[in-house]
Amino acid sequence: MRTALLQSSGRPGSVVENLKVLDEAAARAAATGAGLLVAPELFLTGYAIGDDVARLAEPADGDSADAIAELAGRHGLAVAYGYPERAGDAVYNAAQLIGADGTRLANYRKTHLFGCFEHDHFHPGDQPVVQAELNGLTVGLMICYDVEFPENVRAHALAGTDLLVVPTAQMHPFQFVAESMIPVRAFENQMYVAYVNRVGREGEFEFVGLSTLAGPDGVARARAGRGEELLFADADPVTLAASREANPYLKDRRPGLYGSLV
């Protein structure tokens, strides 16, 4: 499945403008035959927007979800995007996957919050593995810091995730995560990982870009620079099956030895 990675911070604070950016990217992605477009963490609203996070938060089935469902159907491709989700009095750092027919396929709430900003503005989610079937692949969702916990990604591997989609807001000086950790996560868990970042400065944060789609051989199929960019790479189920057959990591596990981890 051709996957489009939208490396952009959009227009922080403006849902309307960010929907326009997403629409334009979806049109470009669909023209290349992409089946999935992935946008960064909190793309709908912006990341470093302070108390506006709560003001702009929406339910998973809110107006913006409807707008993204419409553009996904119009362009004929699935869309995964980050947004602040309101559920009652709680606000979650969430990511949603909407299918090419406009169906809401999966909604994930970030389980591992990073830093004071996130702890001040969000509740943590408590469901580590969220998946959906898309174009012959099992797609899993995570957000940014979640992927830095090996237990999280291994849980997806054991649940059969083929393509792990990770909207992110990865900042300086942690660019080694994009450069080194993501390809290793893909290799050790025998999956594709699409890690899609913000760029530039927002408030106190400097986002470093470097979005990538890494394959099960640990090789980056595409790698962005430090600016706004729409890049493409393929998640190939044939390559994935062959890699899993050749790589013994998951078969050679000895879970009985790992009790001390929990």
Side-chain angles (χ1 to χ4, degrees):
M1 177 174 63
R2 171 146 289 203
T3 303
L5 283 60
L6 174 59
Q7 178 168 287
S8 171
S9 288
R11 308 294 178 266
S14 176
V15 172
V16 170
E17 290 301 315
N18 290 330
L19 287 172
K20 290 179 182 178
V21 173
L22 197 62
D23 197 355
E24 292 168 1
R28 292 171 58 196
T32 74
L36 172 63
L37 170 66
V38 184
E41 181 176 3
L42 294 175
F43 181 77
L44 185 63
T45 59
Y47 184 93
I49 59 172
D51 291 338
D52 281 347
V53 165
R55 182 178 65 83
L56 296 175
E58 297 185 25
D61 60 353
D63 290 345
S64 293
D66 288 344
I68 293 170
E70 188 279 329
L71 75 85
R74 179 160 36 86
H75 295 297
L77 82 171
V79 178
Y81 65 99
Y83 74 108
E85 178 194 356
R86 178 169 294 285
D89 293 332
V91 175
Y92 297 92
N93 185 337
Q96 183 150 228
L97 173 64
I98 294 178
D101 62 354
T103 302
R104 292 176 50 242
L105 299 178
N107 190 72
Y108 170 79
R109 296 167 174 173
K110 189 173 187 178
T111 54
H112 295 76
L113 301 179
F114 178 79
C116 295
F117 173 79
E118 291 189 14
H119 283 278
D120 287 345
H121 288 90
F122 299 105
H123 284 67
D126 57 10
Q127 187 175 355
V129 177
V130 172
Q131 299 168 311
E133 298 302 311
L134 183 66
N135 296 344
L137 294 172
T138 299
V139 176
L141 294 175
M142 273 189 188
I143 299 173
C144 198
Y145 194 41
D146 291 326
V147 79
E148 298 178 37
F149 293 81
E151 302 89 346
N152 255 22
V153 188
R154 181 52 54 86
H156 269 273
L158 297 176
T161 293
D162 300 315
L163 169 61
L164 185 61
V165 170
V166 189
T168 192
Q170 199 257 319
M171 56 198 70
H172 178 81
F174 306 113
Q175 48 266 34
F176 68 88
V177 174
E179 294 169 338
S180 301
M181 185 181 291
I182 296 306
V184 170
R185 287 284 180 270
F187 180 72
E188 69 190 2
N189 291 289
Q190 287 300 288
M191 61 175 61
Y192 289 94
V193 180
Y195 186 78
V196 185
N197 199 13
R198 305 179 69 83
V199 290
R201 182 167 291 280
E202 287 181 51
E204 63 184 288
F205 307 112
E206 181 187 350
F207 300 113
V208 299
L210 303 175
S211 298
T212 187
L213 192 148
D217 54 1
V219 175
R221 299 299 194 272
R223 169 82 70 188
R226 298 296 187 97
E228 296 213 347
E229 190 171 344
L230 183 66
L231 65 159
F232 302 90
D234 294 325
D236 178 14
V238 175
T239 298
L240 181 59
S243 181
R244 286 173 171 172
E245 181 64 28
N247 188 308
Y249 275 156
L250 298 181
K251 291 182 289 188
D252 288 349
R253 292 174 65 252
R254 296 181 61 193
L257 303 180
Y258 311 148
S260 61
L261 294 178
V262 293

